Each structure stands twice: as structure tokens, then as C-alpha cells.
Amino acid sequence: VLVLGAGGFSLSQYDNSENNYTYVDIDPEIQNIAETYFLEAPIKGKLISQDARKFLGHNKKKYDVLVIDLFSHKTTTPWHVSTKNFFELAKDSIHKDGIIVMNIVGNIRLNTKGDRVMHNTINSVFPYCFVDMSI
């Protein structure tokens, strides 16, 4: 499992399966902060401290699952990880039968130009995209 955007490393923390997690986050201090103040335990998996787009651009490994959870603020996705090229890099990083899960903050009704642009960009790479409105 490749996770772009480590957050609090919580995705793997309670996973009792044999999944191997690789986290990619631009902030090298995030692991220490999460282990000390959030998890109060070592992370399950490994951290690669690098920009997500740069990582995907050099990545040769294929993953079964890719989780995209990239924010520069609690509701803002950095522009360089919301482009058609970025999503093509993501698609190239999964196995043929792999899945990609994206956490994107937006309006499900696509009633803003930004929401429509993001939706159309994703659909240009993933034409069979399932949208779930979760809170």
C-alpha cells in the first residue's frame, strides 16, 4: 500500500493484516511528531520524505493500493498534485487490477468551477471513477 500524504500514519496503525505500507510525505519530521504526540507508538510501515509528484515520477514499483491524501491546508490540494500528469503518474504506479483511493475536499454537486475542473481532470485519466460523499 502506497500512501501519498502521511497525515498521522493512522491508516496502517490498526491494520492487523500483512499489508506493507509505504508513506510519502514532504515533511521529514512528520514521523517523529506522529509517534510522539499522536500514535504514542512507532509507525507501521516506512516513510519516504519526498514530494509526492517527484516520488511518482521516479517510482518503478507497482502497488496494489494507492491512497492519495495530499493537502497543503485542511481543504487545499497543492496544484502540482491535481493535474492530469500527476494522475497519470499515479495510474502508472498501480498494478493493472490495483485501486486508487483519493481524499479530496469538494462539493459533490460540482457547483463550483474548481470542483468541476478537479472532477474532469480525474475523469480524463480514470473514466470509471466512483465518487463517495463521506463526512
Side-chain angles (χ1 to χ4, degrees):
V1 179
L2 176 62
V3 183
L4 303 179
F9 299 88
S10 58
L11 189 62
S12 62
Q13 202 59 24
Y14 302 105
D15 183 353
N16 294 322
S17 72
E18 297 297 319
N19 290 329
N20 294 315
Y21 287 83
T22 299
Y23 289 91
V24 177
D25 198 287
I26 200 164
D27 184 357
E29 297 299 317
I30 195 81
Q31 180 175 350
N32 184 50
I33 292 167
E35 289 174 340
T36 303
Y37 300 104
F38 185 66
L39 303 173
E40 298 178 345
I43 66 166
K44 290 182 179 177
K46 70 177 181 176
L47 171 65
I48 297 172
S49 296
Q50 189 175 35
D51 176 80
R53 184 179 179 138
K54 185 175 181 179
F55 173 83
L56 290 180
H58 294 97
N59 177 51
K60 302 294 181 217
K61 184 175 179 180
K62 301 282 187 183
Y63 294 87
D64 295 320
V65 178
L66 169 55
V67 178
I68 301 173
D69 193 15
L70 299 165
F71 294 93
S72 57
H73 183 268
K74 68 183 189 179
T75 62
T76 306
T77 302
W79 72 269
H80 71 292
V81 294
S82 59
T83 64
K84 182 176 181 178
N85 176 257
F86 172 78
F87 294 118
E88 288 169 342
L89 292 170
K91 185 176 183 178
D92 290 342
S93 294
I94 60 168
H95 291 287
K96 184 181 177 199
D97 59 347
I99 63 168
I100 296 179
V101 177
M102 299 178 220
N103 180 17
I104 298 172
V105 176
N107 186 306
I108 192 78
R109 292 173 188 83
L110 306 176
N111 58 5
T112 71
K113 182 178 179 182
D115 292 335
R116 286 189 302 273
V117 168
M118 179 64 91
H119 181 266
N120 292 340
T121 301
I122 292 168
N123 276 336
S124 72
V125 179
F126 304 102
Y128 302 102
C129 181
F130 175 76
V131 178
D132 179 24
M133 187 172 80
S134 298
I135 297 176

